[in-house]
Amino acid sequence: MVSDHRVAVLDRDACDSKKCGNWPCITYCPPVRNNIEAIKMGDDGFPIISETLCISCGICVKKCPFEAITIINLPTELKDSVVHQYGVNKFKLFRLPYPEAGKVVGLLGKNGIGKSTAIKILAGQLVPNFGNIEERTTWEEASRFFRGSLVQEHLGSIAKGEIRISYKPQNIADIPKVVSGKVKEVLARLGDEASVEKVMENLELKELAERDVRVLSGGELQRLAVAASLLRKANVYILDEPSSHLDIRQRLKMVEAVRDVVGESVKVVVADHDLAVLDYFSDVIFLFYGEPSVYGVVAGPYGVREGINMFIEGYIPDENLRFRNEKIDFQVKPPSREVEVSAEQLRWPAFSKTFEGFRLEVAEGWVVRGEVLGIVGPNGIGKTTFASVIAGVLQTDQGFSFDPKAVSYKPQYPVPEPSTVEEYLRKAAGQEFDTSLYQSTVVRPFGLEKLLDKDMRELSGGELQKTVVAGCLSKKADIYVLDEPSAFLDVEERYHMAKILKRLALDNKVYILLVEHDFTVLDFASSALMVFEGQPGVRGYGHPPTDLRTGFNMFLAKMDVTFRRDHTTKRPRINKRDSQLHRLQKQSGEYYYLSA
């Protein structure tokens, strides 16, 4: 019996029908051999796969020399749930999340499986076509498709023009290209003086008031984008990855600033990859699962704890569906930092580095071979400066520096090279690129197999980030320095990166220094911690590295933040500031490694 509920996707960037000979996807297709046009050549020179006539034998997938075809069978109940399709044999989104009045709705899932598509629909920027790619759908028709649901109410309000939506996009790097002026001038265009003053104070933008938008860092641009979004008096606020480049204190300040606008009639939708922040942020969770660039399915809504735990376990009980073969593990007890006297160490002397208006002082310290040293502290405190000294990019005031030839360095803001992804990785990995181990531990976990032929200058922010992180980890080096590698990576990519770091450190006995703001990544990867403190943008001080418990307690005490552990998954969860548990943990001095 022919099934009509499968997804067939052709990667047109990879497909090159002029070079594949006799079109093997068509030639070897069994239905085609029986005069059934399951695959035919389209007018644009690309093959078209009929999802209803395809028998899902997989022969075209295996015969395609460019690995450009993906065919996946889906559960029958999804057959009538297509919300949007981008074209013939292109990405499909099934189901749609919906905002709720007075609540923050969190979206959680891998990159490339429809979160941004869903957000654009909810933001009124993309009219869903429900798989009908030949006819234009109106908002009224889209609303009727979801009759009897909260989605109908939301899309109906868009159709009638009864709703004001404020949308903060994922990509903040383009802001200086379209917005000019000083920070306060930009915000003054969006709200009255009192509102501007309040949001600038809540998001710690007052010190940046007279700074030109063109010179803002990533974290500063992020806070400006959130502030601009909140100043637009709206019924619905939609924030796509608002925590990227923010430190832990700024992340919580951002959450509190957004929560401040949530009233009985206000709806908030947020997509983010920081599990602790999304947990702290949200009232309900929608999960996204599927195959990146092929299809995405929305599940939920769930309670926050329930939904995030499902994602960590990789299993959705009410759908009896496993979307990941392994669960994400957290270390409940911190590893000790007991080092043998004979252990080889990477040492640096006490030093300073002075810039105009800023001075960094660092205490003498060391990291042992096989350790992953997590580096934490507020933004603008000198972490990147320290990383640059270790990487041999900067020299200290005393003339000290490391040999850059011994270091593989991933800078905070990667710059694309004029090469393809494959050329870049081959250069980094050498002969290792062609081994099955390299493909299984680096290329596939980061989802790079479909990017190999792309020019690095054409990659999105997330694609460039994971390419550069993969390149850094591929190089043969004695010291690895990674500055904010998790920005724009999804939760699973962060977990895979952390596992690679731990394996690389232990197996190759190398030194790894990891500058990071995501506490779950630090929890996955680190075996020691180095804390930076001071006055952001003015002075910074780097403490000697210490064990994780001591380091986290030192840092979080200054941030006034405590974490508890989830009973089931042991993931770290942020305590509410006014909670009894927060007060009890502060009294005991245990801010992080405490069972729930």
Side-chain angles (χ1 to χ4, degrees):
M1 180 177 177
V2 176
S3 173
D4 60 355
H5 50 274
R6 62 174 53 86
V7 174
V9 171
L10 176 73
D11 184 348
R12 297 190 173 210
D13 290 332
C15 175
D16 192 340
S17 59
K18 295 178 181 177
K19 292 183 179 179
C20 67
N22 60 346
W23 302 333
C25 59
I26 299 176
T27 303
Y28 293 98
C29 174
V32 171
R33 290 188 166 195
N34 288 304
N35 297 317
I36 299 172
E37 283 194 326
I39 310 179
K40 63 180 180 179
M41 189 57 65
D43 295 336
D44 59 358
F46 290 100
I48 296 174
I49 304 168
S50 169
E51 294 175 346
T52 54
L53 298 178
C54 171
I55 62 172
S56 197
C57 63
I59 291 176
C60 61
V61 176
K62 296 175 183 176
K63 290 293 183 180
C64 176
F66 306 110
E67 299 181 353
I69 298 174
T70 303
I71 295 178
I72 294 176
N73 290 316
L74 295 175
T76 306
E77 55 267 27
L78 290 177
K79 176 181 175 181
D80 299 319
S81 301
V82 179
V83 170
H84 192 75
Q85 183 174 358
Y86 280 97
V88 177
N89 298 148
K90 291 187 177 181
F91 179 86
K92 281 184 181 179
L93 175 66
F94 296 85
R95 304 182 191 147
L96 197 65
Y98 50 82
E100 293 188 56
K103 292 184 178 180
V104 176
V105 175
L107 309 182
L108 177 59
K110 294 174 66 173
N111 283 330
I113 56 173
K115 295 191 303 299
S116 292
T117 299
I119 281 175
K120 287 177 182 177
I121 293 172
L122 296 180
Q125 296 185 353
L126 176 67
V127 184
N129 60 22
F130 307 105
N132 187 348
I133 58 180
E134 296 178 356
E135 297 181 14
R136 291 180 64 87
T137 308
T138 66
W139 282 112
E140 289 80 4
E141 292 169 334
S143 175
R144 286 196 294 272
F145 181 87
F146 292 102
R147 64 176 61 89
S149 70
L150 290 176
V151 181
Q152 180 186 23
E153 176 190 317
H154 180 75
L155 299 187
S157 297
I158 294 176
K160 297 172 185 175
E162 298 175 346
I163 193 170
R164 291 190 65 186
I165 299 171
S166 180
Y167 171 46
K168 188 210 82 72
Q170 179 189 72
N171 188 4
I172 57 170
D174 292 334
I175 290 176
K177 299 176 184 177
V178 295
V179 176
S180 61
K182 296 178 180 179
V183 169
K184 190 168 184 178
E185 293 173 352
V186 171
L187 295 179
R189 300 169 198 158
L190 302 171
D192 59 72
E193 186 174 351
S195 299
V196 171
E197 286 294 320
K198 182 179 180 181
V199 79
M200 287 183 69
E201 182 173 349
N202 289 345
L203 292 170
E204 299 182 339
L205 287 169
K206 285 199 167 184
E207 293 182 1
L208 306 175
E210 298 303 316
R211 192 171 297 180
D212 195 284
V213 172
R214 293 173 298 179
V215 299
L216 296 182
S217 68
E220 291 164 349
L221 280 174
Q222 187 71 268
R223 285 182 283 151
L224 175 63
V226 173
S229 176
L230 296 182
L231 283 171
R232 297 184 179 97
K233 300 301 180 184
N235 312 103
V236 180
Y237 294 88
I238 299 178
L239 308 170
D240 198 350
E241 295 193 32
S243 73
S244 294
H245 299 304
L246 302 185
D247 63 42
I248 183 65
R249 186 188 72 253
Q250 292 168 343
R251 292 180 186 202
L252 297 191
K253 287 270 190 182
M254 178 270 296
V255 171
E256 290 161 3
V258 174
R259 280 238 167 238
D260 195 44
V261 308
V262 179
E264 289 186 3
S265 60
V266 175
K267 306 172 184 178
V268 178
V269 178
V270 57
D272 208 278
H273 295 303
D274 185 325
L275 289 178
V277 168
L278 194 65
D279 183 359
Y280 189 72
F281 213 148
S282 308
D283 296 305
V284 296
I285 291 284
F286 283 91
L287 297 182
F288 285 67
Y289 65 87
E291 181 78 19
S293 302
V294 178
Y295 77 99
V297 182
V298 181
Y302 302 107
V304 176
R305 178 178 179 271
E306 176 191 21
I308 293 179
N309 283 357
M310 284 182 193
F311 183 80
I312 288 170
E313 296 286 346
Y315 177 70
I316 301 177
D318 58 325
E319 298 193 11
N320 191 25
L321 183 134
R322 178 160 294 282
F323 59 88
R324 195 189 321 111
N325 292 326
E326 60 176 342
K327 72 175 186 177
I328 297 172
D329 290 315
F330 297 86
Q331 50 189 30
V332 182
K333 294 183 179 180
S336 61
R337 203 180 186 225
E338 298 176 1
V339 179
E340 298 179 7
V341 178
S342 60
E344 192 174 349
Q345 300 170 0
L346 172 71
R347 287 188 169 272
W348 57 87
F351 66 81
S352 63
K353 180 63 180 176
T354 307
F355 302 93
E356 184 178 351
F358 179 78
R359 178 178 172 84
L360 170 67
E361 294 184 359
V362 176
E364 179 182 359
W366 51 268
V367 58
V368 73
R369 283 195 181 276
E371 271 191 328
V372 178
L373 176 65
I375 299 172
V376 296
N379 279 329
I381 210 75
K383 302 186 304 297
T384 293
T385 300
F386 173 74
S388 299
V389 169
I390 301 298
V393 176
L394 289 179
Q395 194 175 72
T396 69
D397 294 343
Q398 293 77 20
F400 170 78
S401 67
F402 282 91
D403 180 6
K405 294 179 182 178
V407 183
S408 181
Y409 177 44
K410 185 260 147 191
Q412 184 179 17
Y413 302 113
V415 178
E417 294 187 5
S419 69
T420 66
V421 171
E422 181 172 345
E423 289 168 348
Y424 174 77
L425 293 178
R426 280 188 179 278
K427 181 180 176 181
Q431 294 181 346
E432 293 296 321
F433 182 85
D434 293 316
T435 67
S436 59
L437 179 62
Y438 181 80
Q439 295 293 318
S440 63
T441 59
V442 176
V443 175
R444 282 194 289 274
F446 282 117
L448 296 175
E449 59 266 53
K450 293 188 177 181
L451 300 179
L452 294 177
D453 293 328
K454 283 192 175 183
D455 190 306
M456 288 183 66
R457 293 165 293 186
E458 298 174 356
L459 299 178
S460 68
E463 291 170 341
L464 177 62
Q465 182 79 300
K466 62 186 180 182
T467 297
V468 174
V469 169
C472 174
L473 298 178
S474 301
K475 292 177 183 176
K476 296 289 185 183
D478 209 31
I479 306 167
Y480 292 81
V481 181
L482 296 94
D483 195 348
E484 293 192 35
S486 75
F488 302 119
L489 300 188
D490 64 41
V491 176
E492 294 186 27
E493 289 166 343
R494 294 178 186 198
Y495 183 54
H496 285 301
M497 176 191 70
K499 290 205 300 184
I500 294 172
L501 289 177
K502 292 177 78 169
R503 186 183 301 119
L504 185 65
L506 293 173
D507 293 352
N508 295 3
K509 297 299 179 185
V510 296
Y511 308 103
I512 298 181
L513 286 78
L514 172 66
V515 180
E516 187 54 68
H517 291 307
D518 187 331
F519 271 54
T520 53
V521 172
L522 291 167
D523 189 71
F524 294 152
S526 303
S527 48
L529 206 67
M530 184 176 180
V531 178
F532 281 69
E533 62 176 348
Q535 184 179 351
V538 179
R539 56 180 174 81
Y541 178 73
H543 287 272
T546 184
D547 63 273
L548 289 182
R549 172 173 262 129
T550 302
F552 276 127
N553 285 338
M554 180 195 308
F555 175 63
L556 292 174
K558 297 182 184 302
M559 298 293 105
D560 191 28
V561 177
T562 59
F563 285 80
R564 67 190 184 280
R565 292 277 164 173
D566 183 79
H567 287 290
T568 305
T569 62
K570 309 306 178 186
R571 64 184 170 88
R573 305 183 69 190
I574 303 171
N575 293 320
K576 298 289 191 288
R577 289 184 189 275
D578 58 352
S579 69
Q580 183 180 11
L581 188 55
H582 176 67
R583 293 193 296 271
L584 287 173
Q585 287 186 222
K586 284 180 65 176
Q587 290 173 7
S588 67
E590 288 291 349
Y591 286 78
Y592 192 68
Y593 285 102
L594 186 76
S595 297

